[in-house]
Amino acid sequence: MQSSILVLVLAVCGIVSGQEIDCPEKSGFYPDPYQCDLYYKCSKGKSEARLCPDGLVFSDENPNKERCDIPSNVDCGDRKELQEPKPTKGCPRQNGYYKHPDPQACDKFYYCSEGVPNEIPCPPGLYFDEETSNCDWKESVKRQCDHITKDVLDDGFTCPDGDVMGPNGRALPHPTFPHPEDCQKFYICRNGVQPQKGSCPSGKVYNEDTFMCDEPEKVPGCENYYEGQPLEKNKLPKKA
């Protein structure tokens, strides 16, 4: 009962008071025996209860260090209890790594920091494993993703499947693709899966043979792209 009351106090007030533990002679930081995100600072035989940020748990490996970490990095053992979650949209708890809300988006996950979700793609060919908070090979992750949901830009572009080989014969980590109608524009696929718009500087056009911006006369079909257009000097490439 006392532990439950303490959890309620922590969740509502964000502070801890009233519960004492028998501190070891050595000063340091020690875990609560029941709650994995609750711990104590012991100094001169007196204890001060502290709580990890929501979503993190106390690492009790070294009493000289006050450290909270993601649950997959900490063996809580019998410390099964946790503080009441404080969810926000996309984040089951305030902090940590969580699977994407789209059940078919196995190759993406959310990193939550203080309740703010950040969508992150896994490297090509890997799925997010919630048990380890890492991206792993599809065969090792216990998830059914028969129809992976791809990101689509507002003009309908999605990143093609498969590797794109660069001029040196190696797969490009962030391949680029030409725009179907505009010589100056192109697409970038971050990590091969996350589409993004790009644009060459004024006076240049995209060359799909070199995967770079180039002189118009070197790109068949784009030789006259800037004919009759004023050029903007020193304009850097734009990214959407």
Side-chain angles (χ1 to χ4, degrees), residues 102-177:
D102 182 347
Q104 289 300 318
C106 291
D107 56 349
K108 303 180 185 69
F109 61 95
Y110 276 171
Y111 165 62
C112 293
S113 177
E114 297 182 355
V116 178
N118 301 276
E119 185 182 87
I120 301 176
C122 288
L126 303 185
Y127 285 171
F128 178 69
D129 187 342
E130 196 170 22
E131 292 183 4
T132 62
S133 298
N134 286 313
C135 294
D136 204 344
W137 296 109
K138 300 176 183 179
E139 297 77 13
S140 302
V141 180
K142 300 175 182 178
R143 297 183 65 179
Q144 293 295 326
C145 300
D146 302 322
H147 305 286
I148 292 295
T149 304
K150 287 188 173 184
D151 289 342
V152 183
L153 295 180
D154 55 8
D155 61 4
F157 177 81
T158 61
C159 292
D161 294 327
D163 293 334
V164 176
M165 299 299 171
N168 60 2
R170 297 180 180 179
L172 297 174
H174 311 291
T176 55
F177 301 89

Side-chain angles (χ1 to χ4, degrees), residues 82-103:
L82 295 171
Q83 63 183 286
E84 289 295 322
K86 305 176 184 66
T88 58
K89 186 177 181 180
C91 295
R93 289 185 177 272
Q94 290 284 301
N95 302 278
Y97 298 87
Y98 302 98
K99 65 181 180 181
H100 198 281
D102 182 347

Side-chain angles (χ1 to χ4, degrees), residues 1-10 15-52 57-68 79 81:
M1 179 63 72
Q2 188 177 13
S3 178
S4 299
I5 294 174
L6 177 59
V7 172
L8 180 60
V9 171
L10 293 173
I15 58 175
V16 181
S17 63
Q19 177 153 325
E20 296 287 341
I21 65 167
D22 292 329
C23 281
E25 291 185 7
K26 182 180 179 181
S27 297
F29 302 93
Y30 297 93
D32 182 82
Y34 306 106
Q35 186 172 329
C36 199
D37 51 10
L38 177 63
Y39 62 101
Y40 302 89
K41 178 184 178 181
C42 287
S43 178
K44 297 180 180 179
K46 293 184 178 181
S47 66
E48 175 191 336
R50 296 187 176 186
L51 189 65
C52 290
V57 294
F58 179 66
S59 175
D60 63 340
E61 292 182 351
N62 187 345
N64 294 321
K65 292 185 178 180
E66 183 180 17
R67 188 167 75 93
C68 294
R79 298 182 291 147
E81 296 181 17

